[in-house]
Amino acid sequence: MAREDSAGAARLLWTFERRFLAARTLRSFPWQSLEEKLRESSDSELLLDILQKPSGDWITLSESTAIISHGTTGLVTWDAALYLAEWAIENPAAFRHRTVLELGSGAGLTGLTICKACCPRAYIFSDCHSRVLEQLRGNVLLNGLSLEPEATADPECPLVTVAQLDWDVASISQLSAFQPDTVIAADVLYCPEVTLALVGVLQRLSACRRDQAPDVYVAFTRRNPETYQLFTTELGRAAICWEAVPPHDQKLFPYEGHSEMAVLRLTL
């Protein structure tokens, strides 16, 4: 194979590896170009590379085919969860050897990514909807993680918990039991009621750690400017400082609206 063809094949393979088995339809993958390269190749080296060269650990996810199902939107993966998963892969130090609490875990993709790629000490998935919690437990087990503390003998595997957590009624004592070092949430800013509830639970979390407050990262899609303004305004009223995290370079998921995503780092 000529040098130019080899370089083109390498770029094509790299693109394939980063998008294969992503959690969204591969709308932008150049399937026709791949087919032409395979037809032009004098041997099967390119195909063997694609089939045999690993692209890292994978995540298997069960989720609903409907945006709203069983009265909740938490049974599907939303774009900000993909964006935060990418950010976590690029910033593993934010989670390594730490106890992570995820607020509103939904289908669980972000948390499963962190568990597999960022080496947390413990990871707590949480949600309030019974059907979401059931699906979460199934997805945790589907990915080879254990929900039994005594079964986590491997120091490389985090201690995983799935907890029911209603932000409106969660008490300081309930939140204190988690003792998180890092708190994350993705795509939970979609209406004023939920936004206010999120700020409220963050206020209570700030009172839980006597030594040091947890680091907090909130990822969201800029759908409604009023919702974002409400969130930042309420953070100010709660004396919670925030800053925008620079955009990351990872482009693992071919979803649309990349430029409309953002991650805020909060200081409780």
Side-chain angles (χ1 to χ4, degrees):
M1 189 182 295
R3 181 176 298 179
E4 304 82 37
D5 291 339
S6 179
R11 286 194 298 271
L12 196 61
L13 175 60
W14 181 84
T15 303
F16 182 88
E17 288 178 349
R18 294 173 72 85
R19 292 180 174 179
F20 184 59
L21 288 182
R24 283 292 181 268
T25 306
L26 307 185
R27 302 182 183 90
S28 58
F29 186 78
W31 293 110
Q32 185 175 356
S33 177
L34 175 61
E35 182 180 357
E36 291 173 357
K37 289 289 183 183
L38 290 172
R39 289 181 182 279
E40 293 171 1
S41 178
S42 58
D43 52 38
S44 57
E45 287 183 5
L46 177 60
L47 182 59
L48 287 175
D49 278 343
I50 290 174
L51 294 177
Q52 294 181 354
K53 187 175 180 181
S55 58
D57 208 347
W58 61 83
I59 292 174
T60 304
L61 205 66
S62 170
E63 58 179 9
S64 173
T65 57
I67 293 177
I68 299 177
S69 179
H70 296 274
T72 178
T73 59
L75 296 173
V76 297
T77 301
W78 293 84
D79 284 350
L82 303 176
Y83 188 82
L84 185 57
E86 292 174 338
W87 184 87
I89 291 172
E90 193 170 271
N91 298 272
F95 309 98
R96 186 178 293 118
H97 308 314
R98 309 190 102 203
T99 296
V100 182
L101 169 63
E102 183 178 6
L103 302 172
S105 297
L109 182 137
T110 304
L112 292 169
T113 300
I114 292 172
C115 286
K116 292 201 171 194
C118 303
C119 302
R121 180 194 311 113
Y123 197 95
I124 303 153
F125 295 87
S126 75
D127 214 288
C128 66
H129 194 282
S130 60
R131 184 64 183 86
V132 175
L133 292 169
E134 179 184 343
Q135 179 177 267
L136 265 174
R137 295 187 186 97
N139 282 335
V140 168
L141 299 176
L142 198 59
N143 285 273
L145 299 171
S146 176
L147 291 170
E148 300 296 331
E150 62 274 11
T152 311
D154 187 350
E156 298 299 319
C157 293
L159 175 63
V160 178
T161 308
V162 175
Q164 183 172 25
L165 186 63
D166 186 332
W167 302 348
D168 288 322
V169 299
S171 64
I172 291 180
S173 60
Q174 181 184 6
L175 296 170
S176 295
F178 298 132
Q179 287 293 295
D181 302 301
T182 303
V183 177
I184 67 170
D187 237 329
V188 294
L189 303 177
Y190 53 86
C191 72
E193 294 78 13
V194 173
T195 300
L196 294 174
L198 174 62
V199 175
V201 79
L202 290 174
Q203 278 186 293
R204 276 165 271 155
L205 277 167
S206 68
C208 294
R209 293 294 296 256
R210 297 179 180 177
D211 49 352
Q212 183 177 353
D215 296 325
V216 181
Y217 300 94
V218 178
F220 58 93
T221 305
R222 296 182 184 272
R223 298 187 185 91
N224 189 327
E226 288 78 16
T227 301
Y228 174 69
Q229 182 63 48
L230 174 64
F231 182 52
T232 55
T233 298
E234 291 301 318
L235 289 176
R237 289 178 178 172
I240 298 175
C241 299
W242 60 272
E243 61 178 347
V245 172
H248 59 70
D249 295 326
Q250 295 282 347
K251 298 291 188 290
L252 300 178
F253 302 103
Y255 54 90
E256 299 177 1
H258 228 85
S259 61
E260 298 301 316
M261 307 291 172
V263 177
L264 297 186
R265 178 175 180 173
L266 314 183
T267 303
L268 301 184

